[in-house]
Amino acid sequence: TAARTDIDASVGYYGVGLDNILHENHAIARPLMLHIAGADHFVSEEVQRKVHETLDDHPRVTLHDYPDEDHGFAAEMGQRRSEEAARLADSRTERFFAEHIG
């Protein structure tokens, strides 16, 4: 969405499949925030490293890592939810949208 639309701002949780579209990083024209679960069994450490290598220096991208969290840590329901990490991620998201969406 951040690379293919003119959306004002976007936020992604977990990053499944990002490695398939990292080559589109040049097209990110609007603010993007990503929340990355460090222990995500769907997104390998190698993929997480590639995401950082590609996006860490991008002026419109903010990355937040949650090192010990698994995929779904911010889900509204279910056993994967990690309350502390979910609240942190959601508060970061709320501030991000408040800043970038008029």
Side-chain angles (χ1 to χ4, degrees):
T1 301
R4 298 180 183 184
T5 72
D6 64 351
I7 193 167
D8 290 333
S10 57
V11 174
Y13 284 67
Y14 318 120
V16 174
L18 279 181
D19 51 323
N20 298 318
I21 57 172
L22 283 173
H23 64 279
E24 296 183 34
N25 67 317
H26 67 280
I28 299 171
R30 307 290 180 139
L32 167 64
M33 176 181 282
L34 297 173
H35 300 285
I36 301 169
D40 194 324
H41 61 278
F42 291 114
V43 183
S44 70
E45 288 182 29
E46 178 183 348
V47 168
Q48 292 178 39
R49 183 178 36 77
K50 287 180 185 177
V51 169
H52 276 283
E53 288 172 356
T54 304
L55 299 176
D56 273 346
D57 293 330
H58 196 293
R60 293 178 193 89
V61 178
T62 303
L63 302 176
H64 293 290
D65 291 295
Y66 304 83
D68 297 322
E69 300 301 334
D70 195 359
H71 188 87
F73 75 85
E76 288 295 315
M77 303 172 2
Q79 295 182 344
R80 290 187 185 163
R81 182 169 175 85
S82 174
E83 197 63 40
E84 183 178 343
R87 286 180 192 219
L88 177 58
D90 291 345
S91 69
R92 287 171 166 167
T93 295
E94 289 170 10
R95 284 193 307 273
F96 182 79
F97 281 140
E99 179 180 345
H100 296 291
I101 297 179

PDB file of all heavy atoms in Angstrom, residues 49-88:
ATOM      1  N   ARG A  49      16.141  -9.363   8.688  1.00  0.00           N
ATOM      2  CA  ARG A  49      17.398  -8.668   8.420  1.00  0.00           C
ATOM      3  C   ARG A  49      17.323  -7.935   7.076  1.00  0.00           C
ATOM      4  O   ARG A  49      17.734  -6.782   6.959  1.00  0.00           O
ATOM      5  CB  ARG A  49      18.565  -9.658   8.431  1.00  0.00           C
ATOM      6  CG  ARG A  49      19.914  -9.005   8.227  1.00  0.00           C
ATOM      7  CD  ARG A  49      21.078  -9.985   8.287  1.00  0.00           C
ATOM      8  NE  ARG A  49      20.846 -11.317   7.723  1.00  0.00           N
ATOM      9  CZ  ARG A  49      20.830 -11.594   6.408  1.00  0.00           C
ATOM     10  NH1 ARG A  49      21.025 -10.646   5.537  1.00  0.00           N
ATOM     11  NH2 ARG A  49      20.624 -12.833   5.999  1.00  0.00           N
ATOM     12  N   LYS A  50      16.763  -8.582   6.065  1.00  0.00           N
ATOM     13  CA  LYS A  50      16.610  -7.951   4.746  1.00  0.00           C
ATOM     14  C   LYS A  50      15.700  -6.724   4.823  1.00  0.00           C
ATOM     15  O   LYS A  50      15.966  -5.710   4.166  1.00  0.00           O
ATOM     16  CB  LYS A  50      16.056  -8.947   3.728  1.00  0.00           C
ATOM     17  CG  LYS A  50      17.046  -9.991   3.293  1.00  0.00           C
ATOM     18  CD  LYS A  50      16.415 -10.938   2.288  1.00  0.00           C
ATOM     19  CE  LYS A  50      17.352 -12.062   1.924  1.00  0.00           C
ATOM     20  NZ  LYS A  50      16.731 -13.036   1.014  1.00  0.00           N
ATOM     21  N   VAL A  51      14.634  -6.827   5.602  1.00  0.00           N
ATOM     22  CA  VAL A  51      13.734  -5.686   5.785  1.00  0.00           C
ATOM     23  C   VAL A  51      14.511  -4.517   6.375  1.00  0.00           C
ATOM     24  O   VAL A  51      14.431  -3.383   5.888  1.00  0.00           O
ATOM     25  CB  VAL A  51      12.519  -6.065   6.668  1.00  0.00           C
ATOM     26  CG1 VAL A  51      11.730  -4.823   7.086  1.00  0.00           C
ATOM     27  CG2 VAL A  51      11.616  -7.053   5.939  1.00  0.00           C
ATOM     28  N   HIS A  52      15.294  -4.793   7.400  1.00  0.00           N
ATOM     29  CA  HIS A  52      16.089  -3.729   8.020  1.00  0.00           C
ATOM     30  C   HIS A  52      17.136  -3.180   7.054  1.00  0.00           C
ATOM     31  O   HIS A  52      17.306  -1.957   6.958  1.00  0.00           O
ATOM     32  CB  HIS A  52      16.741  -4.220   9.312  1.00  0.00           C
ATOM     33  CG  HIS A  52      15.839  -4.119  10.486  1.00  0.00           C
ATOM     34  ND1 HIS A  52      15.575  -2.927  11.121  1.00  0.00           N
ATOM     35  CD2 HIS A  52      15.118  -5.057  11.139  1.00  0.00           C
ATOM     36  CE1 HIS A  52      14.747  -3.136  12.117  1.00  0.00           C
ATOM     37  NE2 HIS A  52      14.443  -4.424  12.147  1.00  0.00           N
ATOM     38  N   GLU A  53      17.835  -4.053   6.359  1.00  0.00           N
ATOM     39  CA  GLU A  53      18.854  -3.595   5.422  1.00  0.00           C
ATOM     40  C   GLU A  53      18.263  -2.691   4.341  1.00  0.00           C
ATOM     41  O   GLU A  53      18.893  -1.730   3.913  1.00  0.00           O
ATOM     42  CB  GLU A  53      19.550  -4.785   4.761  1.00  0.00           C
ATOM     43  CG  GLU A  53      20.468  -5.544   5.683  1.00  0.00           C
ATOM     44  CD  GLU A  53      20.999  -6.838   5.071  1.00  0.00           C
ATOM     45  OE1 GLU A  53      20.594  -7.197   3.932  1.00  0.00           O
ATOM     46  OE2 GLU A  53      21.819  -7.504   5.741  1.00  0.00           O
ATOM     47  N   THR A  54      17.063  -2.999   3.918  1.00  0.00           N
ATOM     48  CA  THR A  54      16.423  -2.249   2.845  1.00  0.00           C
ATOM     49  C   THR A  54      15.752  -0.974   3.340  1.00  0.00           C
ATOM     50  O   THR A  54      15.773   0.037   2.642  1.00  0.00           O
ATOM     51  CB  THR A  54      15.368  -3.131   2.135  1.00  0.00           C
ATOM     52  OG1 THR A  54      16.005  -4.328   1.669  1.00  0.00           O
ATOM     53  CG2 THR A  54      14.743  -2.410   0.955  1.00  0.00           C
ATOM     54  N   LEU A  55      15.171  -1.002   4.533  1.00  0.00           N
ATOM     55  CA  LEU A  55      14.312   0.107   4.961  1.00  0.00           C
ATOM     56  C   LEU A  55      14.832   0.960   6.112  1.00  0.00           C
ATOM     57  O   LEU A  55      14.287   2.041   6.354  1.00  0.00           O
ATOM     58  CB  LEU A  55      12.925  -0.438   5.327  1.00  0.00           C
ATOM     59  CG  LEU A  55      12.169  -1.125   4.193  1.00  0.00           C
ATOM     60  CD1 LEU A  55      10.863  -1.708   4.715  1.00  0.00           C
ATOM     61  CD2 LEU A  55      11.926  -0.179   3.021  1.00  0.00           C
ATOM     62  N   ASP A  56      15.858   0.529   6.813  1.00  0.00           N
ATOM     63  CA  ASP A  56      16.331   1.300   7.968  1.00  0.00           C
ATOM     64  C   ASP A  56      16.659   2.749   7.625  1.00  0.00           C
ATOM     65  O   ASP A  56      16.389   3.648   8.418  1.00  0.00           O
ATOM     66  CB  ASP A  56      17.560   0.650   8.607  1.00  0.00           C
ATOM     67  CG  ASP A  56      17.214  -0.406   9.631  1.00  0.00           C
ATOM     68  OD1 ASP A  56      16.048  -0.487  10.064  1.00  0.00           O
ATOM     69  OD2 ASP A  56      18.125  -1.170  10.010  1.00  0.00           O
ATOM     70  N   ASP A  57      17.226   2.990   6.488  1.00  0.00           N
ATOM     71  CA  ASP A  57      17.632   4.345   6.119  1.00  0.00           C
ATOM     72  C   ASP A  57      16.606   5.077   5.263  1.00  0.00           C
ATOM     73  O   ASP A  57      16.880   6.189   4.795  1.00  0.00           O
ATOM     74  CB  ASP A  57      18.975   4.311   5.384  1.00  0.00           C
ATOM     75  CG  ASP A  57      20.105   3.866   6.298  1.00  0.00           C
ATOM     76  OD1 ASP A  57      20.030   4.121   7.511  1.00  0.00           O
ATOM     77  OD2 ASP A  57      21.063   3.250   5.786  1.00  0.00           O
ATOM     78  N   HIS A  58      15.457   4.468   5.050  1.00  0.00           N
ATOM     79  CA  HIS A  58      14.434   5.109   4.218  1.00  0.00           C
ATOM     80  C   HIS A  58      13.817   6.262   5.004  1.00  0.00           C
ATOM     81  O   HIS A  58      13.374   6.084   6.143  1.00  0.00           O
ATOM     82  CB  HIS A  58      13.355   4.099   3.824  1.00  0.00           C
ATOM     83  CG  HIS A  58      12.499   4.561   2.700  1.00  0.00           C
ATOM     84  ND1 HIS A  58      11.635   5.619   2.812  1.00  0.00           N
ATOM     85  CD2 HIS A  58      12.393   4.117   1.424  1.00  0.00           C
ATOM     86  CE1 HIS A  58      11.020   5.807   1.670  1.00  0.00           C
ATOM     87  NE2 HIS A  58      11.463   4.905   0.803  1.00  0.00           N
ATOM     88  N   PRO A  59      13.758   7.446   4.430  1.00  0.00           N
ATOM     89  CA  PRO A  59      13.280   8.617   5.173  1.00  0.00           C
ATOM     90  C   PRO A  59      11.798   8.592   5.545  1.00  0.00           C
ATOM     91  O   PRO A  59      11.377   9.327   6.438  1.00  0.00           O
ATOM     92  CB  PRO A  59      13.576   9.787   4.231  1.00  0.00           C
ATOM     93  CG  PRO A  59      13.628   9.171   2.870  1.00  0.00           C
ATOM     94  CD  PRO A  59      14.169   7.775   3.069  1.00  0.00           C
ATOM     95  N   ARG A  60      11.013   7.734   4.918  1.00  0.00           N
ATOM     96  CA  ARG A  60       9.575   7.695   5.204  1.00  0.00           C
ATOM     97  C   ARG A  60       9.150   6.461   6.005  1.00  0.00           C
ATOM     98  O   ARG A  60       7.976   6.265   6.251  1.00  0.00           O
ATOM     99  CB  ARG A  60       8.797   7.761   3.897  1.00  0.00           C
ATOM    100  CG  ARG A  60       8.950   9.099   3.214  1.00  0.00           C
ATOM    101  CD  ARG A  60       8.217   9.130   1.893  1.00  0.00           C
ATOM    102  NE  ARG A  60       8.636  10.285   1.132  1.00  0.00           N
ATOM    103  CZ  ARG A  60       9.664  10.314   0.293  1.00  0.00           C
ATOM    104  NH1 ARG A  60      10.390   9.239   0.098  1.00  0.00           N
ATOM    105  NH2 ARG A  60       9.977  11.409  -0.361  1.00  0.00           N
ATOM    106  N   VAL A  61      10.127   5.658   6.387  1.00  0.00           N
ATOM    107  CA  VAL A  61       9.808   4.388   7.047  1.00  0.00           C
ATOM    108  C   VAL A  61      10.309   4.378   8.484  1.00  0.00           C
ATOM    109  O   VAL A  61      11.435   4.769   8.767  1.00  0.00           O
ATOM    110  CB  VAL A  61      10.426   3.198   6.278  1.00  0.00           C
ATOM    111  CG1 VAL A  61      10.137   1.881   6.999  1.00  0.00           C
ATOM    112  CG2 VAL A  61       9.894   3.155   4.845  1.00  0.00           C
ATOM    113  N   THR A  62       9.439   3.917   9.377  1.00  0.00           N
ATOM    114  CA  THR A  62       9.775   3.714  10.787  1.00  0.00           C
ATOM    115  C   THR A  62       9.563   2.242  11.105  1.00  0.00           C
ATOM    116  O   THR A  62       8.478   1.709  10.862  1.00  0.00           O
ATOM    117  CB  THR A  62       8.871   4.568  11.697  1.00  0.00           C
ATOM    118  OG1 THR A  62       9.003   5.938  11.332  1.00  0.00           O
ATOM    119  CG2 THR A  62       9.225   4.373  13.159  1.00  0.00           C
ATOM    120  N   LEU A  63      10.600   1.595  11.624  1.00  0.00           N
ATOM    121  CA  LEU A  63      10.506   0.185  11.998  1.00  0.00           C
ATOM    122  C   LEU A  63      10.584   0.046  13.509  1.00  0.00           C
ATOM    123  O   LEU A  63      11.406   0.700  14.145  1.00  0.00           O
ATOM    124  CB  LEU A  63      11.663  -0.613  11.377  1.00  0.00           C
ATOM    125  CG  LEU A  63      11.795  -0.588   9.863  1.00  0.00           C
ATOM    126  CD1 LEU A  63      13.041  -1.343   9.434  1.00  0.00           C
ATOM    127  CD2 LEU A  63      10.567  -1.173   9.203  1.00  0.00           C
ATOM    128  N   HIS A  64       9.744  -0.811  14.055  1.00  0.00           N
ATOM    129  CA  HIS A  64       9.786  -1.134  15.481  1.00  0.00           C
ATOM    130  C   HIS A  64       9.900  -2.645  15.616  1.00  0.00           C
ATOM    131  O   HIS A  64       9.110  -3.392  15.042  1.00  0.00           O
ATOM    132  CB  HIS A  64       8.522  -0.662  16.206  1.00  0.00           C
ATOM    133  CG  HIS A  64       8.381   0.814  16.264  1.00  0.00           C
ATOM    134  ND1 HIS A  64       9.199   1.619  17.028  1.00  0.00           N
ATOM    135  CD2 HIS A  64       7.510   1.648  15.644  1.00  0.00           C
ATOM    136  CE1 HIS A  64       8.838   2.876  16.888  1.00  0.00           C
ATOM    137  NE2 HIS A  64       7.815   2.916  16.049  1.00  0.00           N
ATOM    138  N   ASP A  65      10.891  -3.074  16.378  1.00  0.00           N
ATOM    139  CA  ASP A  65      11.098  -4.499  16.619  1.00  0.00           C
ATOM    140  C   ASP A  65      10.593  -4.880  18.004  1.00  0.00           C
ATOM    141  O   ASP A  65      10.747  -4.117  18.960  1.00  0.00           O
ATOM    142  CB  ASP A  65      12.594  -4.830  16.538  1.00  0.00           C
ATOM    143  CG  ASP A  65      13.118  -4.698  15.124  1.00  0.00           C
ATOM    144  OD1 ASP A  65      12.674  -5.469  14.264  1.00  0.00           O
ATOM    145  OD2 ASP A  65      13.970  -3.814  14.897  1.00  0.00           O
ATOM    146  N   TYR A  66      10.034  -6.071  18.067  1.00  0.00           N
ATOM    147  CA  TYR A  66       9.548  -6.662  19.316  1.00  0.00           C
ATOM    148  C   TYR A  66      10.241  -8.022  19.418  1.00  0.00           C
ATOM    149  O   TYR A  66       9.696  -9.046  18.976  1.00  0.00           O
ATOM    150  CB  TYR A  66       8.022  -6.773  19.279  1.00  0.00           C
ATOM    151  CG  TYR A  66       7.377  -5.423  19.020  1.00  0.00           C
ATOM    152  CD1 TYR A  66       7.247  -4.922  17.733  1.00  0.00           C
ATOM    153  CD2 TYR A  66       6.968  -4.629  20.078  1.00  0.00           C
ATOM    154  CE1 TYR A  66       6.703  -3.667  17.496  1.00  0.00           C
ATOM    155  CE2 TYR A  66       6.417  -3.373  19.851  1.00  0.00           C
ATOM    156  CZ  TYR A  66       6.293  -2.901  18.556  1.00  0.00           C
ATOM    157  OH  TYR A  66       5.748  -1.651  18.335  1.00  0.00           O
ATOM    158  N   PRO A  67      11.470  -8.047  19.951  1.00  0.00           N
ATOM    159  CA  PRO A  67      12.375  -9.197  19.830  1.00  0.00           C
ATOM    160  C   PRO A  67      11.830 -10.550  20.272  1.00  0.00           C
ATOM    161  O   PRO A  67      12.071 -11.543  19.608  1.00  0.00           O
ATOM    162  CB  PRO A  67      13.568  -8.802  20.698  1.00  0.00           C
ATOM    163  CG  PRO A  67      13.534  -7.318  20.745  1.00  0.00           C
ATOM    164  CD  PRO A  67      12.087  -6.949  20.675  1.00  0.00           C
ATOM    165  N   ASP A  68      11.112 -10.611  21.349  1.00  0.00           N
ATOM    166  CA  ASP A  68      10.676 -11.912  21.867  1.00  0.00           C
ATOM    167  C   ASP A  68       9.232 -12.242  21.510  1.00  0.00           C
ATOM    168  O   ASP A  68       8.686 -13.218  22.019  1.00  0.00           O
ATOM    169  CB  ASP A  68      10.847 -11.945  23.390  1.00  0.00           C
ATOM    170  CG  ASP A  68      12.303 -11.794  23.786  1.00  0.00           C
ATOM    171  OD1 ASP A  68      13.167 -12.351  23.087  1.00  0.00           O
ATOM    172  OD2 ASP A  68      12.577 -11.098  24.788  1.00  0.00           O
ATOM    173  N   GLU A  69       8.646 -11.460  20.627  1.00  0.00           N
ATOM    174  CA  GLU A  69       7.230 -11.650  20.307  1.00  0.00           C
ATOM    175  C   GLU A  69       7.043 -12.482  19.048  1.00  0.00           C
ATOM    176  O   GLU A  69       7.842 -12.426  18.118  1.00  0.00           O
ATOM    177  CB  GLU A  69       6.544 -10.297  20.135  1.00  0.00           C
ATOM    178  CG  GLU A  69       6.609  -9.417  21.365  1.00  0.00           C
ATOM    179  CD  GLU A  69       5.983 -10.035  22.608  1.00  0.00           C
ATOM    180  OE1 GLU A  69       5.078 -10.900  22.484  1.00  0.00           O
ATOM    181  OE2 GLU A  69       6.388  -9.645  23.719  1.00  0.00           O
ATOM    182  N   ASP A  70       5.951 -13.240  19.041  1.00  0.00           N
ATOM    183  CA  ASP A  70       5.604 -14.091  17.914  1.00  0.00           C
ATOM    184  C   ASP A  70       4.551 -13.401  17.061  1.00  0.00           C
ATOM    185  O   ASP A  70       3.927 -12.414  17.479  1.00  0.00           O
ATOM    186  CB  ASP A  70       5.084 -15.436  18.420  1.00  0.00           C
ATOM    187  CG  ASP A  70       5.029 -16.516  17.346  1.00  0.00           C
ATOM    188  OD1 ASP A  70       5.373 -16.232  16.168  1.00  0.00           O
ATOM    189  OD2 ASP A  70       4.635 -17.648  17.667  1.00  0.00           O
ATOM    190  N   HIS A  71       4.337 -13.952  15.889  1.00  0.00           N
ATOM    191  CA  HIS A  71       3.295 -13.478  14.995  1.00  0.00           C
ATOM    192  C   HIS A  71       1.956 -13.439  15.753  1.00  0.00           C
ATOM    193  O   HIS A  71       1.622 -14.367  16.467  1.00  0.00           O
ATOM    194  CB  HIS A  71       3.186 -14.438  13.804  1.00  0.00           C
ATOM    195  CG  HIS A  71       2.280 -13.949  12.740  1.00  0.00           C
ATOM    196  ND1 HIS A  71       2.711 -13.127  11.729  1.00  0.00           N
ATOM    197  CD2 HIS A  71       0.967 -14.154  12.542  1.00  0.00           C
ATOM    198  CE1 HIS A  71       1.690 -12.855  10.935  1.00  0.00           C
ATOM    199  NE2 HIS A  71       0.628 -13.463  11.406  1.00  0.00           N
ATOM    200  N   GLY A  72       1.237 -12.366  15.601  1.00  0.00           N
ATOM    201  CA  GLY A  72      -0.056 -12.241  16.268  1.00  0.00           C
ATOM    202  C   GLY A  72       0.013 -11.610  17.640  1.00  0.00           C
ATOM    203  O   GLY A  72      -0.984 -11.570  18.345  1.00  0.00           O
ATOM    204  N   PHE A  73       1.162 -11.076  18.024  1.00  0.00           N
ATOM    205  CA  PHE A  73       1.302 -10.537  19.380  1.00  0.00           C
ATOM    206  C   PHE A  73       0.324  -9.403  19.667  1.00  0.00           C
ATOM    207  O   PHE A  73       0.001  -9.149  20.822  1.00  0.00           O
ATOM    208  CB  PHE A  73       2.738 -10.085  19.668  1.00  0.00           C
ATOM    209  CG  PHE A  73       3.145  -8.797  19.012  1.00  0.00           C
ATOM    210  CD1 PHE A  73       2.867  -7.577  19.618  1.00  0.00           C
ATOM    211  CD2 PHE A  73       3.822  -8.800  17.803  1.00  0.00           C
ATOM    212  CE1 PHE A  73       3.255  -6.384  19.009  1.00  0.00           C
ATOM    213  CE2 PHE A  73       4.214  -7.624  17.206  1.00  0.00           C
ATOM    214  CZ  PHE A  73       3.925  -6.403  17.804  1.00  0.00           C
ATOM    215  N   ALA A  74      -0.166  -8.742  18.640  1.00  0.00           N
ATOM    216  CA  ALA A  74      -1.097  -7.631  18.852  1.00  0.00           C
ATOM    217  C   ALA A  74      -2.524  -7.975  18.440  1.00  0.00           C
ATOM    218  O   ALA A  74      -3.371  -7.085  18.339  1.00  0.00           O
ATOM    219  CB  ALA A  74      -0.615  -6.389  18.101  1.00  0.00           C
ATOM    220  N   ALA A  75      -2.796  -9.249  18.223  1.00  0.00           N
ATOM    221  CA  ALA A  75      -4.143  -9.666  17.859  1.00  0.00           C
ATOM    222  C   ALA A  75      -5.115  -9.320  18.978  1.00  0.00           C
ATOM    223  O   ALA A  75      -4.758  -9.346  20.154  1.00  0.00           O
ATOM    224  CB  ALA A  75      -4.175 -11.166  17.586  1.00  0.00           C
ATOM    225  N   GLU A  76      -6.314  -8.978  18.601  1.00  0.00           N
ATOM    226  CA  GLU A  76      -7.326  -8.624  19.599  1.00  0.00           C
ATOM    227  C   GLU A  76      -7.720  -9.816  20.466  1.00  0.00           C
ATOM    228  O   GLU A  76      -8.125  -9.639  21.606  1.00  0.00           O
ATOM    229  CB  GLU A  76      -8.573  -8.064  18.904  1.00  0.00           C
ATOM    230  CG  GLU A  76      -8.352  -6.678  18.331  1.00  0.00           C
ATOM    231  CD  GLU A  76      -8.092  -5.644  19.417  1.00  0.00           C
ATOM    232  OE1 GLU A  76      -8.799  -5.629  20.426  1.00  0.00           O
ATOM    233  OE2 GLU A  76      -7.150  -4.854  19.223  1.00  0.00           O
ATOM    234  N   MET A  77      -7.641 -10.998  19.908  1.00  0.00           N
ATOM    235  CA  MET A  77      -8.051 -12.194  20.633  1.00  0.00           C
ATOM    236  C   MET A  77      -7.020 -13.294  20.411  1.00  0.00           C
ATOM    237  O   MET A  77      -6.192 -13.205  19.522  1.00  0.00           O
ATOM    238  CB  MET A  77      -9.412 -12.683  20.123  1.00  0.00           C
ATOM    239  CG  MET A  77     -10.502 -11.655  20.204  1.00  0.00           C
ATOM    240  SD  MET A  77     -12.078 -12.109  19.410  1.00  0.00           S
ATOM    241  CE  MET A  77     -11.892 -13.726  18.800  1.00  0.00           C
ATOM    242  N   GLY A  78      -7.105 -14.310  21.200  1.00  0.00           N
ATOM    243  CA  GLY A  78      -6.258 -15.475  21.001  1.00  0.00           C
ATOM    244  C   GLY A  78      -5.095 -15.546  21.960  1.00  0.00           C
ATOM    245  O   GLY A  78      -4.784 -14.592  22.670  1.00  0.00           O
ATOM    246  N   GLN A  79      -4.462 -16.700  21.955  1.00  0.00           N
ATOM    247  CA  GLN A  79      -3.394 -16.967  22.906  1.00  0.00           C
ATOM    248  C   GLN A  79      -2.066 -16.340  22.524  1.00  0.00           C
ATOM    249  O   GLN A  79      -1.161 -16.276  23.339  1.00  0.00           O
ATOM    250  CB  GLN A  79      -3.224 -18.473  23.083  1.00  0.00           C
ATOM    251  CG  GLN A  79      -4.441 -19.105  23.721  1.00  0.00           C
ATOM    252  CD  GLN A  79      -4.246 -20.594  23.939  1.00  0.00           C
ATOM    253  OE1 GLN A  79      -3.359 -21.207  23.368  1.00  0.00           O
ATOM    254  NE2 GLN A  79      -5.088 -21.165  24.780  1.00  0.00           N
ATOM    255  N   ARG A  80      -1.928 -15.885  21.282  1.00  0.00           N
ATOM    256  CA  ARG A  80      -0.670 -15.257  20.873  1.00  0.00           C
ATOM    257  C   ARG A  80      -0.539 -13.824  21.390  1.00  0.00           C
ATOM    258  O   ARG A  80       0.549 -13.280  21.398  1.00  0.00           O
ATOM    259  CB  ARG A  80      -0.555 -15.240  19.362  1.00  0.00           C
ATOM    260  CG  ARG A  80      -0.335 -16.582  18.769  1.00  0.00           C
ATOM    261  CD  ARG A  80      -0.069 -16.445  17.292  1.00  0.00           C
ATOM    262  NE  ARG A  80       0.039 -17.761  16.694  1.00  0.00           N
ATOM    263  CZ  ARG A  80      -0.050 -17.975  15.413  1.00  0.00           C
ATOM    264  NH1 ARG A  80      -0.239 -16.978  14.584  1.00  0.00           N
ATOM    265  NH2 ARG A  80       0.072 -19.186  14.939  1.00  0.00           N
ATOM    266  N   ARG A  81      -1.633 -13.227  21.758  1.00  0.00           N
ATOM    267  CA  ARG A  81      -1.604 -11.824  22.192  1.00  0.00           C
ATOM    268  C   ARG A  81      -0.649 -11.654  23.366  1.00  0.00           C
ATOM    269  O   ARG A  81      -0.671 -12.396  24.333  1.00  0.00           O
ATOM    270  CB  ARG A  81      -2.990 -11.332  22.580  1.00  0.00           C
ATOM    271  CG  ARG A  81      -2.968  -9.850  22.978  1.00  0.00           C
ATOM    272  CD  ARG A  81      -4.372  -9.303  23.107  1.00  0.00           C
ATOM    273  NE  ARG A  81      -4.379  -7.933  23.584  1.00  0.00           N
ATOM    274  CZ  ARG A  81      -4.248  -6.858  22.818  1.00  0.00           C
ATOM    275  NH1 ARG A  81      -4.068  -6.998  21.522  1.00  0.00           N
ATOM    276  NH2 ARG A  81      -4.277  -5.647  23.332  1.00  0.00           N
ATOM    277  N   SER A  82       0.187 -10.642  23.240  1.00  0.00           N
ATOM    278  CA  SER A  82       1.100 -10.248  24.300  1.00  0.00           C
ATOM    279  C   SER A  82       0.689  -8.842  24.712  1.00  0.00           C
ATOM    280  O   SER A  82       0.956  -7.874  23.992  1.00  0.00           O
ATOM    281  CB  SER A  82       2.540 -10.273  23.788  1.00  0.00           C
ATOM    282  OG  SER A  82       3.406  -9.767  24.760  1.00  0.00           O
ATOM    283  N   GLU A  83       0.033  -8.728  25.821  1.00  0.00           N
ATOM    284  CA  GLU A  83      -0.618  -7.479  26.205  1.00  0.00           C
ATOM    285  C   GLU A  83       0.333  -6.283  26.210  1.00  0.00           C
ATOM    286  O   GLU A  83       0.024  -5.232  25.644  1.00  0.00           O
ATOM    287  CB  GLU A  83      -1.289  -7.645  27.572  1.00  0.00           C
ATOM    288  CG  GLU A  83      -2.310  -6.575  27.865  1.00  0.00           C
ATOM    289  CD  GLU A  83      -3.482  -6.582  26.895  1.00  0.00           C
ATOM    290  OE1 GLU A  83      -3.963  -7.663  26.510  1.00  0.00           O
ATOM    291  OE2 GLU A  83      -3.912  -5.475  26.496  1.00  0.00           O
ATOM    292  N   GLU A  84       1.487  -6.423  26.813  1.00  0.00           N
ATOM    293  CA  GLU A  84       2.411  -5.293  26.905  1.00  0.00           C
ATOM    294  C   GLU A  84       2.914  -4.864  25.521  1.00  0.00           C
ATOM    295  O   GLU A  84       2.913  -3.678  25.181  1.00  0.00           O
ATOM    296  CB  GLU A  84       3.597  -5.653  27.800  1.00  0.00           C
ATOM    297  CG  GLU A  84       4.559  -4.508  28.011  1.00  0.00           C
ATOM    298  CD  GLU A  84       5.697  -4.873  28.949  1.00  0.00           C
ATOM    299  OE1 GLU A  84       5.600  -5.878  29.698  1.00  0.00           O
ATOM    300  OE2 GLU A  84       6.700  -4.141  28.932  1.00  0.00           O
ATOM    301  N   ALA A  85       3.329  -5.816  24.712  1.00  0.00           N
ATOM    302  CA  ALA A  85       3.825  -5.493  23.374  1.00  0.00           C
ATOM    303  C   ALA A  85       2.699  -4.952  22.492  1.00  0.00           C
ATOM    304  O   ALA A  85       2.909  -4.019  21.707  1.00  0.00           O
ATOM    305  CB  ALA A  85       4.460  -6.719  22.738  1.00  0.00           C
ATOM    306  N   ALA A  86       1.510  -5.518  22.620  1.00  0.00           N
ATOM    307  CA  ALA A  86       0.371  -5.054  21.830  1.00  0.00           C
ATOM    308  C   ALA A  86       0.018  -3.613  22.172  1.00  0.00           C
ATOM    309  O   ALA A  86      -0.206  -2.790  21.277  1.00  0.00           O
ATOM    310  CB  ALA A  86      -0.835  -5.959  22.065  1.00  0.00           C
ATOM    311  N   ARG A  87      -0.008  -3.299  23.448  1.00  0.00           N
ATOM    312  CA  ARG A  87      -0.315  -1.921  23.843  1.00  0.00           C
ATOM    313  C   ARG A  87       0.744  -0.947  23.342  1.00  0.00           C
ATOM    314  O   ARG A  87       0.430   0.156  22.901  1.00  0.00           O
ATOM    315  CB  ARG A  87      -0.461  -1.823  25.356  1.00  0.00           C
ATOM    316  CG  ARG A  87      -1.746  -2.428  25.857  1.00  0.00           C
ATOM    317  CD  ARG A  87      -1.863  -2.304  27.353  1.00  0.00           C
ATOM    318  NE  ARG A  87      -2.946  -3.118  27.825  1.00  0.00           N
ATOM    319  CZ  ARG A  87      -3.771  -2.752  28.775  1.00  0.00           C
ATOM    320  NH1 ARG A  87      -3.618  -1.598  29.369  1.00  0.00           N
ATOM    321  NH2 ARG A  87      -4.741  -3.554  29.142  1.00  0.00           N
ATOM    322  N   LEU A  88       2.008  -1.344  23.417  1.00  0.00           N
ATOM    323  CA  LEU A  88       3.089  -0.494  22.924  1.00  0.00           C
ATOM    324  C   LEU A  88       2.943  -0.267  21.417  1.00  0.00           C
ATOM    325  O   LEU A  88       3.005   0.872  20.939  1.00  0.00           O
ATOM    326  CB  LEU A  88       4.441  -1.116  23.252  1.00  0.00           C
ATOM    327  CG  LEU A  88       5.668  -0.358  22.739  1.00  0.00           C
ATOM    328  CD1 LEU A  88       5.712   1.070  23.272  1.00  0.00           C
ATOM    329  CD2 LEU A  88       6.935  -1.125  23.106  1.00  0.00           C
TER     330      LEU A  88
END
